[in-house]
Amino acid sequence: MCQACGVTAVGPLLLTAASPATRAALLAHGMVVPLTRGGVVLEQDAPADRLLILLQGSVGLHTTEDGGAATMVEIVAAGDALSIAAVLLQLPHPVSAVALAPGHLLSIPADDFRAAAAADAALMHAAMEQMARQWRLMVEQVVDLKTRDATQRAARFLLRRLPAQRGAVDLPEPRGAIAARLGMTPESLSRALHGLEDAGLLRLHGRRVDVPDRAALYRVSLPRAGASQGARRV
């Protein structure tokens, strides 16, 4: 059952919904691919011939239009499928993907996944649910860019990675990639994080950020109309 995948942890949101027989068949045809920082995971406009599920690490999705500079679209966390919409629609990848941190992904032939989803209603439901979550994140990103300043966007990004009322947030990605995802320069991101630290809302420790009070950070992340003045704007 593809023991090297660590699929019990991954089976992620997606494969754990499938029946045991469906899951075993998909894993039998899947393979684990190691990721190194900076490695290309998939190319924009290439055929979506495999479903890629991130098991560990971090991957950045970006697009390049008419030969221009690459634009970061999203940062994908472990457990998500990178190419599920393109695989189900049998369309080319709309974005490229690059590993932002070392890790592993599970690669499953697209034909096998489509056949399994067509035969397994629970797997298809999970696939649709994951696409809906990804669509919602894209909408939230647009809202963030239109209603929040740099400090508020940085705070909101940290909040998404902090599941508890306080604790540590890991940032394994290069700061430049995070800044691009948030629609700002690395310098603006640095000023935003240090402004939040000066306000007592977080403590910076390299790639780890300690958040002592989630509620206080949340108040700073609110859109302009109701934003807290507790942190310095950039």
Side-chain angles (χ1 to χ4, degrees):
M1 188 178 173
C2 191
Q3 296 297 328
C5 302
V7 172
T8 48
V10 161
L13 310 167
L14 189 58
L15 296 190
T16 50
S19 70
T22 298
R23 185 164 59 251
L26 288 174
L27 294 177
H29 291 93
M31 63 179 180
V32 176
V33 180
L35 300 177
T36 57
R37 191 187 302 274
V40 176
V41 178
L42 57 85
E43 295 275 7
Q44 182 176 336
D45 297 326
D49 55 0
R50 303 190 73 84
L51 177 72
L52 305 177
I53 301 176
L54 186 62
L55 305 180
Q56 179 188 23
S58 178
V59 169
L61 307 181
H62 63 84
T63 181
T64 304
E65 300 299 329
D66 298 325
T71 300
M72 183 70 71
V73 176
E74 186 57 273
I75 294 177
V76 179
D80 276 351
L82 308 183
S83 51
I84 189 166
V87 165
L88 289 178
L89 295 172
Q90 300 186 56
L91 293 174
H93 294 296
V95 295
S96 296
V98 175
L100 301 178
H104 295 82
L105 59 78
L106 174 64
S107 176
I108 298 172
D111 288 341
D112 290 355
F113 182 77
R114 283 193 295 268
D120 189 321
L123 178 60
M124 180 61 83
H125 183 272
M128 298 298 291
E129 193 173 83
Q130 185 157 127
M131 284 193 293
R133 281 196 302 272
Q134 292 173 349
W135 171 83
R136 182 181 176 88
L137 284 174
M138 291 296 179
V139 172
E140 289 180 355
Q141 184 179 158
V142 172
V143 172
D144 284 351
L145 290 170
K146 289 182 175 291
T147 66
R148 290 177 167 86
D149 63 26
T151 296
Q152 292 163 339
R153 296 201 299 273
R156 187 162 166 81
F157 181 81
L158 294 173
L159 286 168
R160 289 193 179 106
R161 295 195 174 188
L162 181 69
Q165 290 306 308
R166 61 181 60 84
V169 176
D170 291 323
L171 301 177
E173 305 88 358
R175 290 291 172 88
I178 296 174
R181 158 63 179 81
L182 296 176
M184 64 182 79
T185 65
E187 294 77 15
S188 291
L189 175 61
S190 180
R191 287 196 299 271
L193 292 175
H194 284 291
L196 291 167
E197 185 175 42
D198 291 344
L201 297 169
L202 53 83
R203 292 185 294 273
L204 301 173
H205 303 282
R207 295 188 181 275
R208 192 188 82 234
V209 179
D210 290 329
V211 179
D213 187 344
R214 191 181 199 279
L217 188 63
Y218 170 75
R219 288 192 293 271
V220 170
S221 76
L222 295 175
R224 295 183 185 115
S228 165
Q229 298 302 312
R232 177 170 60 84
R233 303 290 180 255
V234 297

